[in-house]
Amino acid sequence: MNKRLNTSLLVLILVCCSLQLRGQDTLNLKVSLSLRNVVDLAISQSSSVKYVQNRDVNYYWRWKNHQTRFRPQLVLTGDLPNFENQTKPITQPDGSIIFNQVTQLETSAQLALSQPIPQLGAYVYAASGIVRLQDFNNSTVGYSGVPVSIGITQPLFAYNWMKWTRMTEPLVYEEAQKNFIEDIEEISYAATARFFNYLKIQTDYALAESNLANSRDNLKIAEVKRELGNISENDFSRIQLSVFNAQKALNDARINLKNADYELKKYIGLDQNSDIELIIPLDMFLWEVDPDIALKESLENRKETPQFERRLIQADRDLTRAKRAAGVGATLNMSYGVSNSADDLGGVYQNTEQQQNISLSLSVPIMDWGRSESRVKLAESQRELVLYDVDQDRQDFERGVVVQVEQFNLIRSQIATAEAADKVAEEGYKIALKKFQNGEISITDLNISLQEREAAKRDYIRSIENYWESYYRLREITLYDFEFKQKIYYTNPMLTAQ
């Protein structure tokens, strides 16, 4: 991969040199790009790959955020200050209430360390707090605090979201990592399609130039024959018409080439002022792929494998949540610590008194007219649908890999046939052209030979296109490099730079 990217870097340097020389009006270099050059430029600098990289960063930080949710959290809270000046009801020792003017300043701080326990769905914590109260009416200062306390909050018979999240989030991140590689391979495939769209139009343009030149030569010969009276006016008119048609075809091909040139450069992130020419990729090297290897690599490397597993887990999760919500809910809170109050700060931590707290809150459904039962039945039905869908999707996925391999393995004979037909048609056109110029055949016969030549050339290019598109599609559905016999892997520069 590094060698290919270095080659693309060299191509970029050549393009820049071309632009500089063009600006000086000294030389106009045309940079030749191979299919590999175009693909490497697309996966290294295109706007599509930058979008894929940004999305991968998003999933990276989602994964980091998930990891931090189950780590200890140390939090300092407090009121600095809490001033109060108002009339308040004060409860007396005998139970009566009188209203007094209260003017006081309260300052408090609490340091708490909490830790979730995903296996239990519980939280444990340790805390220490202090409160300072200054009464301006009585000119007194008092302190109250909890030097240390520990506790636990434990839901009972409840849905444990922590356990299920720890099961699904690693699969989500694994999907994202594999999808990142898959998306880059999709960019390679899209660049290949644009490459061949340009190449086919470039071929049409070359054919149109050749046809126009031959048509003009034919017209010159026809003009001489006309002066000698050796050609009819009808045949002469047809030859003139062939020149006009060839010129029109060249104009159309020129417009199409400009549009294809713009689209290709835009997609691979190349400067629009660069002058490029595409090379027909004849370096086909892979002709036979083992379906078993392709299927094995596909199941190991593609996002579908963790995705199927995640969908099944989520179906079980939703059913469990519905069942838990339909039953008795309870939450147990327990805490133990020491507390004290004093006129000075140091006294709070001397001769402390124990404090304990235990509470159990309950939620018992008595009558909901079948609402809870219907939720459970709905979740059960949805789970069955997910099981069916996953099974079908897995079969379709595996079958799709095998079909793609089978189609790829048939391409070799198609290319060989198209290449032979192209050579025969080209040679046939040259022979027909000479015969026409010698007056042995009519313009109609020449046009038929011309059409056969163009059709054979397009079929040959199309067969090469089918090979490379199938090759890159095979890479995408397996995420395996059959050239170097290794798994495909890409790094995200937006993450390595952090």
Side-chain angles (χ1 to χ4, degrees):
M1 183 60 64
N2 291 334
K3 293 181 180 179
R4 290 172 58 184
L5 292 179
N6 289 337
T7 303
S8 299
L9 181 60
L10 178 60
V11 171
L12 281 175
I13 294 174
L14 291 174
V15 172
C16 293
C17 292
S18 172
L19 292 176
Q20 183 178 6
L21 291 172
R22 177 184 295 181
Q24 297 172 354
D25 292 329
T26 58
L27 181 63
N28 183 12
L29 292 179
K30 178 172 287 189
V31 179
S32 297
L33 293 179
S34 67
L35 174 59
R36 292 184 185 272
N37 295 147
V38 170
V39 169
D40 289 339
L41 289 172
I43 66 176
S44 62
Q45 66 177 32
S46 67
S47 58
S48 298
V49 80
K50 288 179 174 58
Y51 175 83
V52 170
Q53 291 168 351
N54 273 285
R55 188 171 59 185
D56 183 57
V57 170
N58 180 274
Y59 276 102
Y60 172 81
W61 287 115
R62 171 176 170 168
W63 170 245
K64 288 297 182 183
N65 179 66
H66 162 74
Q67 291 179 313
T68 59
R69 296 178 74 179
F70 302 104
R71 293 173 181 170
Q73 303 293 318
L74 183 63
V75 180
L76 175 65
T77 59
D79 292 321
L80 301 172
N82 182 10
F83 179 74
E84 184 179 23
N85 182 19
Q86 62 179 333
T87 300
K88 296 180 63 176
I90 307 298
T91 303
Q92 302 302 303
D94 59 359
S96 60
I97 297 177
I98 62 174
F99 291 88
N100 287 340
Q101 182 69 22
V102 176
T103 304
Q104 61 185 21
L105 175 65
E106 180 179 337
T107 306
S108 63
Q110 183 183 49
L111 184 66
L113 177 66
S114 62
Q115 171 66 58
I117 305 177
Q119 295 82 354
L120 302 176
Y123 288 91
V124 294
Y125 64 88
S128 178
I130 188 71
V131 177
R132 178 183 182 275
L133 183 63
Q134 182 175 359
D135 189 340
F136 292 99
N137 292 334
N138 298 320
S139 301
T140 59
V141 176
Y143 293 86
S144 175
V146 180
V148 61
S149 66
I150 57 174
I152 182 173
T153 299
Q154 173 65 67
L156 304 175
F157 319 115
Y159 164 72
N160 185 358
W161 68 268
M162 298 185 203
K163 182 186 74 172
W164 291 103
T165 300
R166 281 165 59 93
M167 294 171 65
T168 58
E169 281 300 314
L171 295 174
V172 170
Y173 185 55
E174 184 182 354
E175 285 180 55
Q177 289 179 305
K178 293 182 176 181
N179 192 58
F180 171 70
I181 302 174
E182 181 183 334
D183 285 342
I184 294 182
E185 285 302 306
E186 174 63 29
I187 292 174
S188 300
Y189 178 83
T192 301
R194 285 170 170 79
F195 175 92
F196 277 99
N197 180 57
Y198 187 107
L199 183 62
K200 287 184 290 187
I201 295 176
Q202 178 181 280
T203 302
D204 289 343
Y205 183 80
L207 288 173
E209 281 187 319
S210 174
N211 295 340
L212 179 59
N214 292 335
S215 297
R216 286 173 174 171
D217 290 341
N218 295 337
L219 182 59
K220 291 179 181 178
I221 295 173
E223 289 173 346
V224 174
K225 290 182 177 181
R226 186 185 187 189
E227 292 177 358
L228 299 175
N230 295 332
I231 187 173
S232 67
E233 287 298 323
N234 182 48
D235 289 342
F236 183 79
S237 299
R238 287 187 176 183
I239 295 174
Q240 281 185 314
L241 181 60
S242 69
V243 174
F244 295 142
N245 290 335
Q247 182 64 60
K248 180 179 180 300
L250 181 62
N251 293 336
D252 293 340
R254 183 179 289 111
I255 294 174
N256 293 335
L257 187 61
K258 287 183 179 180
N259 293 334
D261 183 81
Y262 172 80
E263 289 296 329
L264 179 62
K265 291 175 183 176
K266 176 185 176 183
Y267 190 76
I268 65 177
L270 205 57
D271 192 286
Q272 291 292 337
N273 293 322
S274 57
D275 194 5
I276 64 174
E277 181 180 19
L278 301 188
I279 305 172
I280 298 178
L282 300 177
D283 54 336
M284 285 85 77
F285 61 91
L286 182 68
W287 299 108
E288 193 75 24
V289 174
D290 188 339
D292 293 333
I293 294 178
L295 183 58
K296 172 180 173 293
E297 293 296 335
S298 186
L299 292 174
E300 290 180 1
N301 304 333
R302 288 273 298 196
K303 70 176 183 297
E304 278 77 5
T305 298
Q307 185 181 81
F308 293 150
E309 182 180 355
R310 175 181 57 81
R311 289 166 62 185
L312 294 176
I313 292 175
Q314 288 177 335
D316 291 336
R317 176 200 65 188
D318 294 342
L319 178 57
T320 301
R321 179 163 49 192
K323 289 181 177 180
R324 295 296 187 185
V328 176
T331 302
L332 177 64
N333 291 285
M334 297 188 297
S335 65
Y336 173 82
V338 293
S339 62
N340 199 4
S341 60
D343 294 334
D344 59 89
L345 181 61
V348 174
Y349 301 93
Q350 300 174 0
N351 301 320
T352 57
E353 298 181 356
Q354 295 184 3
Q355 68 170 22
Q356 300 90 23
N357 177 269
I358 299 179
S359 66
L360 179 64
S361 58
L362 294 173
S363 174
V364 182
I366 298 177
M367 183 178 295
D368 62 1
W369 284 270
R371 182 181 183 185
S372 298
E373 182 181 2
S374 64
R375 284 180 176 177
V376 173
K377 293 298 183 182
L378 176 61
E380 290 176 345
S381 175
Q382 289 177 334
R383 179 178 178 275
E384 292 299 321
L385 287 175
V386 170
L387 293 176
Y388 175 79
D389 289 341
V390 168
D391 182 65
Q392 291 297 312
D393 292 345
R394 182 180 284 111
Q395 293 182 35
D396 292 342
F397 173 71
E398 294 178 0
R399 179 57 186 165
V401 174
V402 174
V403 169
Q404 184 66 36
V405 172
E406 291 175 347
Q407 292 176 347
F408 181 82
N409 291 339
L410 295 175
I411 293 179
R412 184 172 191 172
S413 61
Q414 297 174 357
I415 292 180
T417 302
E419 183 180 11
D422 177 55
K423 292 179 180 178
V424 171
E426 182 68 29
E427 191 64 27
Y429 174 72
K430 291 179 181 178
I431 295 173
L433 181 61
K434 289 181 180 179
K435 286 185 176 182
F436 172 77
Q437 293 174 350
N438 293 332
E440 298 178 23
I441 62 174
S442 66
I443 186 65
T444 302
D445 294 329
L446 179 63
N447 287 336
I448 293 175
S449 180
L450 174 63
Q451 293 172 1
E452 291 174 346
R453 172 204 184 197
E454 293 179 349
K457 178 64 68 176
R458 292 190 182 101
D459 286 342
Y460 179 48
I461 297 296
R462 192 177 301 113
S463 66
I464 298 175
E465 177 185 12
N466 290 339
Y467 171 86
W468 285 110
E469 287 191 349
S470 296
Y471 171 74
Y472 280 104
R473 180 64 74 189
L474 193 61
R475 282 172 56 99
E476 182 185 348
I477 67 172
T478 61
L479 300 186
Y480 184 76
D481 191 333
F482 292 92
E483 180 179 2
F484 298 102
K485 294 181 172 52
Q486 63 185 15
K487 298 181 186 299
I488 298 174
Y489 179 75
Y490 296 100
T491 58
N492 190 341
M494 293 186 178
L495 292 178
T496 56
Q498 294 178 357

